[in-house]
Amino acid sequence: MSGFAVFRLPNETRCTLMMQPSDSLLELPSCAELGGRSGFVMAPFVPTPDEPVLLLQPDVVESCSLESLKEWDNELLPMVHYPTLAVSQHRDRADYHIDFSNFHAQLVAGDYQKLVLSRMVDASRIDSVSPLDLFRDACERYPRMFVGLFSTPQSGAWLTATPEVLLSGSGRQWLTIALAGTMPYEPRPQWSPKNIAEQRFVASYLMETLEQFATDIDETGPYTARAAHLIHLRSDFRFTLDRPHVVGDLLQALHPTPAVSGLPKRSAIDFILHNEQHRRHYYSGFCGPLSVQGQTHLFVSLRCMQFGADRYRLYAGGGLLPDSREEQEWQETETKLDTMRNLICTATKKTSTY
């Protein structure tokens, strides 16, 4: 066995485990190649020859409770791949200032309407705590989110707890969402013009893209959606696909959405690839089951943790507009990083009591 994935859909109590032999893991050059296929998808921010779209085609598919998943630990843990992660020197507040200034200058000059700037931070790995332990804790802590853990030799091991649907549905009925704008949770939020504008950019892009593939498009929102200790502005797009085989082409057109890249989309992606001080790898890509038992549930890989030989690497980002303020954007990324930091903190406390 070379790869596995285990995931828990939002607001569900059971998780799904998928495992497969090494010779059936597909490496695909683009999202378009996913059309007509089935399995668990692991897509990077931008596919490249050394980081392709991966499709796990499982021999084993099991529905488990979190408790019964422990029965699989001995079989799954040897399949967790821990690459050696190079030490990055570009992670602190002063480095963020340099990146923010560069990105923001492009926005003020009018070259872009929006750019997404991401960060990564490292934390020491706790040898006595397995990725499956952290997966179970994430499921309990974040019931409204998609929680997924996957590991392959090509991608390494990743954990995500994300609120953002990229594409979900079956048959002819499908859903995608525009999720942008972020605040700490409060019961009666007052959304700033910046957050409202950021969300509208994403929603408009989705509508324009869907009109090329779908019919009966119905937009609902924006409304406030909670994701653990954060809230976001969300619009739902329900639509009909008369030709299900176009799912691959639709994914190719959608991903990466402006929620994780920017606008104009293609030039924003190029700017990010050349100016962010780290590679995103599978952060801000997407993952989830594709046409498994007729159901597709693909989520943008946000609030991510990458497992290394001696460290965890955490990723988070935020959308910048011309009126963005550096300290507010920094604090937003800090709050998003807390999604995975909280898991590490809890695990550290548990190990210190034994």
Side-chain angles (χ1 to χ4, degrees):
M1 291 283 186
S2 73
F4 75 89
V6 59
F7 63 91
R8 199 281 328 271
L9 295 174
N11 301 309
E12 294 198 358
T13 58
R14 297 182 68 82
C15 59
T16 301
L17 167 65
M18 298 181 175
M19 296 190 297
Q20 66 145 72
S22 59
D23 60 357
S24 60
L25 183 68
L26 284 183
E27 299 185 12
L28 304 172
S30 73
C31 298
E33 298 294 323
L34 291 169
R37 301 184 188 272
S38 174
F40 189 93
V41 180
M42 299 147 282
F45 173 57
V46 174
T48 63
D50 62 333
E51 285 186 339
V53 177
L54 300 173
L55 183 66
L56 186 149
Q57 301 173 106
D59 282 14
V60 176
V61 179
E62 290 281 342
S63 175
C64 312
S65 66
L66 292 180
E67 185 62 30
S68 64
L69 181 63
K70 294 178 182 178
E71 299 171 8
W72 291 90
D73 282 13
N74 290 338
E75 190 165 355
L76 294 175
L77 290 177
M79 299 165 60
V80 177
H81 300 275
Y82 297 103
T84 299
L85 302 178
V87 177
S88 171
Q89 302 302 318
H90 198 93
R91 297 192 301 273
D92 64 16
R93 183 67 179 82
D95 294 326
Y96 183 82
H97 169 72
I98 295 171
D99 282 350
F100 179 91
S101 299
N102 181 20
F103 277 55
H104 192 246
Q106 313 303 313
L107 293 161
V108 172
D111 295 334
Y112 302 93
Q113 295 169 287
K114 173 184 176 179
L115 286 170
V116 175
L117 173 60
S118 71
R119 295 174 53 205
M120 70 178 195
V121 299
D122 287 352
S124 297
R125 189 161 72 84
I126 308 168
D127 291 335
S128 60
V129 175
S130 78
L132 288 161
D133 293 330
L134 293 172
F135 170 81
R136 283 185 281 264
D137 188 20
C139 287
E140 293 173 353
R141 185 181 289 269
Y142 306 124
R144 295 181 178 89
M145 301 165 103
F146 173 88
V147 180
L149 169 68
F150 61 83
S151 178
T152 73
Q154 295 90 330
S155 64
W158 291 75
L159 175 67
T160 182
T162 174
E164 186 168 350
V165 178
L166 179 64
L167 187 63
S168 179
S170 63
R172 300 173 68 242
Q173 303 307 310
W174 295 81
L175 167 75
T176 188
I177 72 170
L179 194 78
T182 303
M183 290 174 55
Y185 171 75
E186 57 182 75
R188 296 178 179 82
Q190 297 294 316
W191 291 99
S192 69
K194 182 263 182 184
N195 279 314
I196 293 170
E198 182 185 353
Q199 199 273 343
R200 192 66 243 160
F201 280 140
V202 179
S204 297
Y205 171 83
L206 290 181
M207 179 61 80
E208 292 170 5
T209 302
L210 291 174
E211 287 174 342
Q212 303 172 45
F213 297 91
T215 59
D216 304 322
I217 305 168
D218 179 59
E219 178 182 359
T220 304
Y223 61 93
T224 298
R226 185 175 179 181
H229 56 295
L230 299 173
I231 51 176
H232 306 282
L233 277 172
R234 169 173 170 165
S235 295
D236 295 349
F237 294 83
R238 290 179 170 82
F239 55 94
T240 299
L241 288 180
D242 293 320
R243 299 168 295 149
H245 65 274
V246 306
V247 165
D249 293 331
L250 176 56
L251 288 170
Q252 180 73 11
L254 287 175
H255 174 70
T257 74
V260 295
S261 57
L263 286 170
K265 178 176 154 178
R266 176 43 55 191
S267 59
I269 292 169
D270 290 340
F271 182 83
I272 289 167
L273 292 175
H274 288 93
N275 288 276
E276 276 192 343
Q277 299 300 314
H278 58 272
R279 291 176 62 184
R280 294 190 183 186
H281 303 293
Y282 287 82
Y283 161 68
S284 67
F286 65 91
C287 64
L290 171 69
S291 192
V292 175
Q293 299 176 341
Q295 298 287 323
T296 293
H297 300 285
L298 302 176
F299 287 76
V300 182
S301 301
L302 305 177
R303 322 290 197 268
C304 283
M305 177 189 295
Q306 182 182 15
F307 295 90
D310 62 350
R311 70 193 66 206
Y312 307 115
R313 180 155 288 169
L314 282 55
Y315 296 82
L320 308 185
L321 300 184
D323 59 348
S324 291
R325 298 294 177 261
E326 181 180 331
E327 184 59 30
Q328 292 175 344
E329 299 298 336
W330 168 266
Q331 290 301 328
E332 179 177 317
T333 61
E334 285 286 286
T335 304
K336 290 175 176 176
L337 288 166
D338 284 343
T339 301
M340 288 293 153
R341 281 175 172 154
N342 290 339
L343 301 180
I344 299 171
C345 181
T346 299
T348 301
K349 291 177 179 176
K350 286 181 179 179
T351 57
S352 66
T353 62
Y354 296 145

